[in-house]
């Protein structure tokens, strides 16, 4: 999943805010006595928002990424920051206004192995473990 256009949500914040959409992917195989017992791929992720007011932060997140869940996370984070500011506020500190966007792809740059190559490696490792 690639989330495009996160900048369009900047106007939802009434206080200083940060918004993140993230996805983590993983794959795994498992062998027992040389037999494949697990072959799985998964993707997890979600949205998180945090808002700053008077020296304190409010936070909220949701595992589903839609315009509605993003708006709800921003609203909840902002409400949490306002609540904490009333209880624990440390003065009228302000953080800079304006929009900034950053996109980081932390996936490997190495070529992906084919499933057959992964299985050959796993079977070789399984055999080594059995011999030892």
């Amino acid at each position: 999943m690639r989330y495009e256009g996160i900048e369009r949500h900047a106007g939802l914040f009434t206080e200083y805010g940060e918004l993140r959409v993230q996805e983590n992917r993983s794959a795994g195989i498992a062998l027992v006595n040389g037999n494949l017992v697990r072959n799985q791929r998964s993707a997890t992720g979600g949205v998180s928002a945090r808002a700053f007011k008077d020296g304190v932060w409010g936070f909220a997140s949701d595992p589903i990424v839609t315009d509605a869940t993003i708006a709800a996370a921003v609203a909840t984070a902002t409400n949490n920051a306002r609540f904490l500011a009333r209880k624990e506020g440390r003065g009228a500190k302000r953080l800079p206004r304006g929009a900034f966007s950053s996109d980081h792809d932390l996936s490997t740059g190495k070529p992906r192995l084919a499933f057959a190559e992964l299985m050959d490696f796993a079977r070789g490792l399984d055999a080594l473990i059995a011999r030892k």
Side-chain angles (χ1 to χ4, degrees):
M1 167 200 87
R2 184 129 183 108
Y3 189 83
E4 300 291 337
I6 195 170
E7 301 85 5
R8 73 179 186 272
H9 302 289
L12 297 172
F13 286 97
T14 56
E15 310 295 342
Y16 172 88
E18 298 173 357
L19 181 63
R20 173 185 289 187
V21 174
Q22 167 178 328
E23 181 182 61
N24 301 318
R25 297 178 192 179
S26 66
I29 59 174
L31 298 174
V32 174
N33 297 325
N35 296 313
L36 181 66
V37 294
R38 181 174 54 120
N39 179 14
Q40 118 187 12
R41 293 188 184 276
S42 66
T44 59
V47 59
S48 65
R50 67 182 198 158
F52 181 86
K53 179 156 179 70
D54 295 339
V56 296
W57 292 95
F59 179 82
S61 65
D62 196 296
I64 307 296
V65 180
T66 66
D67 286 348
T69 60
I70 289 172
V74 169
T76 301
T78 301
N79 290 337
N80 289 342
R82 288 177 179 161
F83 173 79
L84 290 172
R86 285 193 307 271
K87 302 291 183 187
E88 301 285 332
R90 300 178 187 113
K93 296 178 183 175
R94 294 192 168 239
L95 294 177
R97 296 287 298 174
F100 172 78
S101 178
S102 178
D103 187 351
H104 302 281
D105 182 351
L106 302 177
S107 57
T108 183
K110 296 178 183 178
R112 300 283 181 186
L113 296 176
F115 181 74
E117 294 171 302
L118 291 172
M119 284 299 299
D120 287 344
F121 175 78
R123 284 196 173 109
L125 186 58
D126 187 66
L128 176 66
I129 291 168
R131 284 193 310 272
K132 297 288 180 175

